[in-house]
């Protein structure tokens, strides 16, 4: 299973690098010079995605994380939360660069979906810690 997490980390790294390159080149092409939230999608994918799953891969080498009941909930909610959160940062940045800010419904929708993404990501974090604690306790018992 460790290879699965390394592969997922690699996918997040590619997405993060592509998001960063797109941000840089797109804003340069458009001539947009102000700071935009689109720039934050790059580190979100890299840190919350790529680095986190490298760490999970290291933990899974010594602990049987997949055997814990809470692991599946962590894995699913965390990945959904990362994707939603980073995607909404990217979309928010597009609205800034393209000057779509006058659309109140779009603005509210992005904010609401980003909030849901953060909540789901938080649930994933909680289940990650629960999973790690249980796996450590189970290893100590054996």
């Amino acid at each position: 299973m460790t290879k699965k997490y390394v592969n997922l980390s690699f996918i997040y790294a590619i997405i993060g690098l592509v998001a960063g390159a797109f941000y840089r080149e797109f804003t340069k092409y458009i001539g947009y010079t102000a700071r935009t939230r689109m720039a934050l999608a790059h580190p979100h994918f890299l840190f919350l995605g790529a680095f986190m799953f490298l760490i999970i891969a290291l933990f899974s080498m010594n602990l049987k994380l997949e055997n814990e009941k809470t692991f599946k909930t962590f894995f699913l909610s965390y990945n959904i939360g990362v994707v939603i959160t980073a995607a909404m940062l990217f979309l928010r940045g597009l609205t800034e660069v393209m000057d779509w800010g006058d659309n109140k419904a779009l603005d509210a929708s992005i904010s609401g979906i980003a909030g849901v993404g953060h909540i789901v990501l938080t649930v994933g974090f909680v289940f990650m810690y629960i999973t790690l604690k249980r796996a450590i306790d189970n290893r100590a018992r054996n």
Side-chain angles (χ1 to χ4, degrees):
M1 287 301 265
T2 302
K3 188 175 180 179
K4 175 182 174 180
Y5 310 129
V6 171
N7 288 338
L8 183 58
S9 171
F10 183 60
I11 290 168
Y12 273 123
I14 290 170
I15 293 169
L17 294 172
V18 168
F22 179 84
Y23 156 72
R24 183 172 183 262
E25 296 304 318
F26 182 67
T27 54
K28 191 182 338 177
Y29 176 76
I30 296 292
Y32 190 85
T33 56
R35 185 85 171 146
T36 174
R37 286 184 192 88
M38 189 188 307
L40 298 175
H42 166 72
H44 273 68
F45 278 123
L46 288 179
F47 288 102
L48 293 177
F51 292 139
M52 177 61 89
F53 281 100
L54 283 178
I55 293 167
I56 293 297
L58 291 173
F59 274 115
S60 74
M61 289 173 63
N62 293 317
L63 301 171
K64 295 179 179 175
L65 298 177
E66 300 83 15
N67 293 346
E68 300 303 324
K69 294 178 193 176
T70 54
F71 182 78
K72 194 179 255 185
T73 304
F74 149 69
F75 190 80
L76 188 61
S77 61
Y78 187 82
N79 280 294
I80 290 170
V82 168
V83 170
I84 290 173
T85 300
M88 289 302 106
L89 281 169
F90 194 83
L91 186 57
R92 170 71 70 201
L94 274 178
T95 65
E96 292 167 348
V97 172
M98 301 303 292
D99 197 25
W100 297 336
D102 293 340
N103 188 333
K104 299 284 185 199
L106 179 62
D107 184 56
S109 297
I110 292 171
S111 295
I113 295 169
V116 168
H118 279 86
I119 292 167
V120 174
L121 186 59
T122 301
V123 168
F125 269 122
V126 169
F127 276 95
M128 177 195 65
Y129 285 109
I130 292 169
T131 301
L132 286 172
K133 184 175 177 349
R134 287 182 179 179
I136 290 167
D137 289 344
N138 286 337
R139 183 169 182 204
R141 275 186 236 136
N142 295 331

